[in-house]
Structure formats: C-alpha cells, structure tokens
Amino acid sequence: MGTTRLAAVTPIHRAPALHAACVSASANTNVAKCPTNCSTCNLHEVCLPCGLSGLELERLDNLVYTRKRIKRGESLYQAGDPFKSLYAIRSGFFKTCILHDDGREQVAAFHMAGEIMGMDGIGTEHHNLNAVALEDSEVCVIVFASLEQASSEMRGLQHAFNKVMSREIVRNQGVMMLLGTMRAEERLAMFLLNLSQRFMARGYSPLEFHLRMTRDEIGSYLGLKLETVSRAFSSFQQGGLVSVQQKHIRILDMPGLKRMVGQHLAN
Amino acid sequence: MGTTRLAAVTPIHRAPALHAACVSASANTNVAKCPTNCSTCNLHEVCLPCGLSGLELERLDNLVYTRKRIKRGESLYQAGDPFKSLYAIRSGFFKTCILHDDGREQVAAFHMAGEIMGMDGIGTEHHNLNAVALEDSEVCVIVFASLEQASSEMRGLQHAFNKVMSREIVRNQGVMMLLGTMRAEERLAMFLLNLSQRFMARGYSPLEFHLRMTRDEIGSYLGLKLETVSRAFSSFQQGGLVSVQQKHIRILDMPGLKRMVGQHLAN
DNA sequence: CGTTGCGTTGAATAAGGTCAAATAGAGTGG
DNA sequence: CCACTCTATTTGACCTTATTCAACGCAACG
C-alpha cells in the first residue's frame, strides 16, 4: 500500500496499474481500457498468479488486460448470464448469491480483493450466481478461453488455476461444516475469524475492520435470521469478545473468540 | 451391466475392464493390476471423460491404468494424507467426511459410480477429507501429475477437468443452500430427489433404491440429527410420498416429493 | 438366544425463528 | 444546521422446530 514502485522501463512492463491511475483515465466509463498488470499488482500473492514465476507473471499481463468498475449495488454478472470470463477483484467487496426457484435467496460467499469470482460458470457455461458489489469496486476481467489457452502453454498457470479451484471447493466445504454442525454464536465467531484472517493476509488490521454487508446478508450467509445475528453480536459484546458499533468491528479477545468456535464440547 | 464386449484386438485396446474380470484376477490384493480402460468403460458419460472425443478417450486409457479395491468400511484416503491422485469410482459407494478439531465429524458428500473424489487435495497438496467406502468398491486411480501433463497436451481434457471441478463447486453451493435455508423435511426430500436423479443418470431405477448409508450419516450430511431424519422418513411414508423399509426406498409420489421442496412459501 | 447396531417413537427442552416495537444513523432537502 | 425520512439494527415476547434423552423394536450374527 505505502510502497512506491519504479515506472516501466521496457514496453513489456507497462505503467503500474494502481487505482488512482485508472480513476482519472476512465472516470465515467464502465469498462476501463487502461492496462491491468499482474506482474506489478500488489495482490499477486493472494490472487491467481500466486506461486507463478516472474516469466509466467509477465505472460499473464497479456492475458488480463481489461478492468471493469462496478458501483455499489450493481451486479457484475447474474445467474443465467452466459459464462465467458472470470473476474479477479482488484479492489472492493462483493457478495455472490444463489437465487432459489421459490424466491429464497442465499448469500453463497463474500469476496474481497485478490479473490476470483465466476468459477461456478465453467461447468454449465452459464453463471449460477449473482455477483453484487457491496461497495464501489474494480475487477480484472479474465477471458476464460484465453486462460485455458494460456494454461495449455504454461504448466505453472494451469497448476495455479487448479489450485485456485480446489481451494474454492475446500472453502465451500468449510462453509458446509459451519452450516451443518455449528450453533449461531459459533457461526458468527467463525465468520469474524475468517474475515479477520483474510484482512490480515491483505495487510489490513486483523483486529479492527468495517463490515461491508448488512446483518441480513451475514445471516443469509450463515443460515441465520438477521435478529439472531444481531443477538449474537450483542452477546459477544457483553462477553467482552468484540466491540460492535454498527458495522465497525473490533476484536478485543481473539483467543476468546477462537474458543467460541468448537466450544460446545467443553460445556 | 448386462452387456458383454469384444475382447481386445490391439495392444492399445486392452481387455475390457469389467468388474468380473478383475475380481478373479486380484481376489485378495488391494491394488489391482488389471488395466482400466476409459474408452470402453460404461461410465464415460458421467465420469471425467464426459464430452471427450474418441481419440482423446484412447489417450486417457494410458493415463488411468490402476484400479484399487476398497472394502466396505475402509478408507480410500484420510485427511492429512499427502495428495497424489484423484479417484474415479468404478463401482461402489463412498462418503467423504470432514473431521473437525473438536471431534465433530460431518459427511461432506456421498459419491457413486462415475464420480471423482479427491479434488479437495489439489490446493493444499494434502487431502482435507476422509473417504470411506460404504460398500465394497473399486476406484480408478488418476495420478494427478499425469493428469496435468496430459491436460497440457489435450485441450479437451483440460477443459473437461475444469468443468468437473466447477461442477463440484456448484454442487457444494447447492448443499450450502440446502443447509442454510431449508427445513428438515425439505432437506430430506431434496436428498432423495438428488439420489433418484443420480441413480437414473446411471441407468438404475429412479423410483426404487437402497440407501447405502445410515440415518446418522444422512443426518450428518443434511445437518440434522438421526432422529429427525427418521421422523421425516416416517412423515413421508404417512403422507404416501415414499415407502420406507429400513434402507429400501420407493418413491410413490414424485411430484409430491418435489412439491415438498420449496413448499414453505405455499403455506 | 442373547448381543449388538440401527431405527423408530414419545416427551421434555433448548435454540432459533417470528412478530412487533423502539432506536439509531445516514442521507436529504429546506 | 436542523428536521425529516428511510433503512438498518437492536431488543423483547412468544412460538415453532429440531434436539435431547430415553425407551423400545427389529434384524443380523455369532
């Protein structure tokens, strides 16, 4: 965040694609034409390129060349849309929701910078989820056909992508565990710990952060009603585990919060 | 199952790898040496090769060459084991479970013939689940490094594998939906409909089948206690939706069962 | 023929959902 | 800057659902 980088020195190394650079270049356009650049992106440790060599990284720069800005509340894609691209979040925050036939909606995941969205569409060639921005956001567009093409030329990329998909599977299994076996307060504790860890991995404070989503959205994700979420927050606050002021969260007792998860055998 | 096939005519086309052939060849060994053969396997429409051309199929035969027999109750792999291979179920039935720190265990999925297990291990290079056979089973061993190698030479295979992974993600999201928003009877109805559909896709009766798992395992999968599962079964039977005799299930009123799912808005 | 594991059923209990009311902020227009 | 509105959140009272605890039935098996 605070580190500055040298400007490009060769044609291959385009100007560092920092946010500010693009904001001015495409203030009112939806699709930004200014080049994205994996090799200089500060997210490359958590994003798709994770683990790739410098050479492969440069090759990626040619693959990921468009960015798109999504305003808070807007959809990046919707269930049923034909699948063409994956999206790597450059900045901002998203939720993805499943829409059930009978009108029920459930939040399937929250996504933050560096995470890839859209992998649900590969199998059916249509998106199965709605992806909605919870704050003004920017994503890198990864045309899937190009990714597959590039993967066949770069073993490392193919492997990295397989890993990303696999991790998504494991992540979902963790959520299944949460939904299947945990009680309300355990779920919320798990949720906060998970957010904390992801913020930390991105260089933000793991102890203090803003929730981008409403209680209702948290509840939908955790399989709880918003009132239950609210009560659980209150209970945590009373127990001195966290301080809650609207969407501002501060974790006061991390070990205590961790004990909250899986506590029920200790009773 | 009942169809017979011609014996091999070229070195490339090895003997058809039907179950009976192997049983005698390796009665008491765990790892069968008799060749597996995707191109003649009757599961290739539901398994990994789904959508591949004849040429690519033959190429797969060289990739998938070992089989392994797992007795009922035994583990194919366990959480923590180093990840080396994927497994395609040739015959039999498995459950995969997540083991939580505090001793809680949850069934993450049930797997039947043609389904691929082990994809959870790609990201971490260790398995994250236990895979346990619920009946005597046979799996095809797919060495992952070989699969990646072959994928880089065959675009079709790479694409097919991406699709398999993606479908696994979507499947898990469906389970999350089930766990997050459905009531006990809805969950069980969904579960039965899902099994029914999968049996049908494999050429078995969609209306009558044997459950390979206990009520406890069903409950674990659905996020319910075994008593609740039992009560839901009883309720279905009383409502004339299904006939339940221990593990033998007959669906008597398919539309009614479907109405059961997502009924709660109709009330 | 008792043992063992699995399944069913009933009654009591607890957890979370529902409904309703009060409160707090954020944003808006005057 | 203030009043107003709208929405998100909190909290309480009550209700529904699933869990817990316990007893019993049934089938397979040695």
Side-chain angles (χ1 to χ4, degrees):
Chain A
M1 295 292 285
T3 64
T4 51
R5 289 199 181 80
L6 286 170
V9 286
T10 77
I12 292 175
H13 288 93
R14 283 168 293 206
L18 294 174
H19 307 164
C22 228
V23 170
S24 53
S26 62
N28 284 320
T29 41
N30 201 19
V31 177
K33 282 293 172 220
C34 68
T36 313
N37 203 319
C38 289
S39 55
T40 59
C41 177
N42 46 11
L43 288 166
H44 76 260
E45 284 159 20
V46 284
C47 194
L48 175 62
C50 168
L52 292 190
S53 71
L55 243 140
E56 289 169 320
L57 261 180
E58 287 177 20
R59 176 77 176 71
L60 256 196
D61 292 344
N62 299 316
L63 175 62
V64 182
Y65 56 91
T66 344
R67 272 197 278 162
K68 203 167 171 181
R69 340 190 94 240
I70 309 289
K71 287 223 175 66
R72 178 194 156 117
E74 287 178 357
S75 284
L76 174 58
Y77 55 80
Q78 299 200 294
D81 287 356
F83 166 78
K84 282 210 235 42
S85 308
L86 299 175
Y87 304 93
I89 304 177
R90 188 149 176 87
S91 69
F93 208 92
F94 283 82
K95 66 170 177 181
T96 45
C97 327
I98 314 174
L99 204 64
H100 208 250
D101 318 327
D102 56 12
R104 272 178 290 188
E105 185 185 279
Q106 186 182 4
V107 172
F110 296 107
H111 300 274
M112 54 177 77
E115 296 176 346
I116 313 280
M117 294 187 294
M119 292 180 287
D120 56 284
I122 299 171
T124 56
E125 315 209 347
H126 287 269
H127 286 289
N128 288 272
L129 304 171
N130 296 341
V132 179
L134 296 182
E135 59 183 37
D136 293 0
S137 304
E138 260 185 27
V139 297
C140 302
V141 180
I142 306 169
V143 176
F144 187 63
S146 312
L147 177 64
E148 281 198 326
Q149 172 65 45
S151 296
S152 67
E153 293 160 20
M154 278 190 283
R155 286 290 296 280
L157 178 58
Q158 186 198 339
H159 190 62
F161 183 59
N162 283 336
K163 282 192 163 192
V164 167
M165 297 264 282
S166 171
R167 262 185 251 117
E168 178 76 8
I169 290 173
V170 172
R171 198 191 61 73
N172 284 340
Q173 282 166 349
V175 177
M176 284 167 51
M177 182 82 197
L178 179 149
L179 293 171
T181 70
M182 293 191 178
R183 303 233 256 41
E185 297 195 353
E186 294 182 280
R187 296 186 196 188
L188 187 64
M190 194 106 202
F191 174 70
L192 291 177
L193 291 171
N194 175 268
L195 278 184
S196 165
Q197 192 195 310
R198 283 154 75 196
F199 280 125
M200 186 165 60
R202 282 155 186 80
Y204 299 104
S205 167
L207 296 180
E208 198 168 358
F209 46 84
H210 268 276
L211 299 175
R212 270 74 172 187
M213 68 296 279
T214 66
R215 300 288 189 265
D216 195 25
E217 287 163 335
I218 296 174
S220 173
Y221 178 63
L222 297 177
L224 301 169
K225 294 294 161 185
L226 69 96
E227 292 96 331
T228 307
V229 173
S230 179
R231 277 184 247 271
F233 269 129
S234 301
S235 153
F236 284 177
Q237 184 148 36
Q238 273 208 310
L241 295 174
V242 302
S243 127
V244 185
Q245 276 164 29
Q246 298 287 118
K247 300 196 155 148
H248 188 82
I249 301 290
R250 192 182 333 180
I251 298 179
L252 303 174
D253 177 4
M254 181 67 83
L257 202 57
K258 285 183 179 160
R259 250 179 280 125
M260 206 73 223
V261 179
Q263 179 197 41
H264 72 145
L265 279 191
N267 288 356
Chain B
M1 296 294 281
T3 64
T4 52
R5 288 201 180 79
L6 286 171
V9 286
T10 76
I12 291 174
H13 289 94
R14 283 166 293 204
L18 293 174
H19 307 164
C22 231
V23 170
S24 54
S26 62
N28 284 320
T29 41
N30 200 17
V31 177
K33 282 292 171 219
C34 71
T36 314
N37 204 320
C38 288
S39 55
T40 59
C41 178
N42 46 12
L43 288 166
H44 75 260
E45 284 159 20
V46 284
C47 195
L48 175 62
C50 169
L52 292 191
S53 72
L55 242 139
E56 289 169 318
L57 260 180
E58 286 178 22
R59 176 78 176 71
L60 256 198
D61 293 344
N62 299 317
L63 175 62
V64 182
Y65 56 92
T66 345
R67 273 196 277 162
K68 204 168 171 181
R69 339 190 91 240
I70 310 289
K71 287 222 173 67
R72 178 194 157 117
E74 286 178 357
S75 284
L76 174 58
Y77 55 81
Q78 299 199 296
D81 286 357
F83 166 78
K84 283 211 236 38
S85 308
L86 300 175
Y87 304 94
I89 304 176
R90 186 146 179 91
S91 69
F93 208 92
F94 284 81
K95 68 171 175 182
T96 45
C97 325
I98 313 175
L99 203 65
H100 209 249
D101 318 326
D102 56 12
R104 273 179 290 188
E105 187 185 278
Q106 187 181 5
V107 173
F110 296 108
H111 300 275
M112 53 176 78
E115 295 176 347
I116 313 280
M117 293 187 294
M119 291 179 287
D120 56 285
I122 299 171
T124 57
E125 314 210 348
H126 287 270
H127 286 289
N128 288 272
L129 305 172
N130 295 342
V132 179
L134 296 182
E135 59 182 37
D136 293 358
S137 304
E138 263 184 26
V139 297
C140 303
V141 179
I142 306 170
V143 176
F144 187 63
S146 311
L147 178 63
E148 282 199 326
Q149 172 64 43
S151 295
S152 66
E153 294 160 18
M154 279 190 284
R155 288 289 297 277
L157 178 59
Q158 186 198 337
H159 190 62
F161 183 60
N162 283 336
K163 283 193 166 191
V164 167
M165 298 264 283
S166 170
R167 263 185 250 117
E168 177 75 8
I169 290 172
V170 172
R171 197 191 62 72
N172 284 341
Q173 282 165 350
V175 177
M176 284 168 51
M177 182 82 197
L178 179 149
L179 293 171
T181 69
M182 293 192 177
R183 302 234 260 31
E185 297 196 353
E186 293 182 281
R187 295 186 197 189
L188 188 64
M190 195 103 203
F191 174 70
L192 291 176
L193 291 171
N194 177 266
L195 278 183
S196 166
Q197 191 197 310
R198 283 154 75 196
F199 280 125
M200 187 164 61
R202 282 155 186 79
Y204 299 105
S205 167
L207 296 180
E208 197 169 358
F209 46 85
H210 268 277
L211 299 175
R212 270 73 172 188
M213 68 297 279
T214 65
R215 300 288 191 264
D216 195 26
E217 287 164 334
I218 296 173
S220 173
Y221 178 61
L222 297 178
L224 302 169
K225 294 296 162 187
L226 66 97
E227 294 96 328
T228 308
V229 173
S230 180
R231 278 183 245 271
F233 269 128
S234 301
S235 153
F236 285 177
Q237 182 149 38
Q238 274 208 309
L241 295 174
V242 302
S243 128
V244 185
Q245 277 162 28
Q246 298 287 116
K247 299 194 155 151
H248 188 82
I249 301 290
R250 191 180 335 177
I251 297 178
L252 302 174
D253 178 4
M254 182 66 84
L257 202 57
K258 285 183 178 161
R259 248 178 283 125
M260 206 75 222
V261 179
Q263 179 198 41
H264 73 146
L265 279 193
N267 288 357

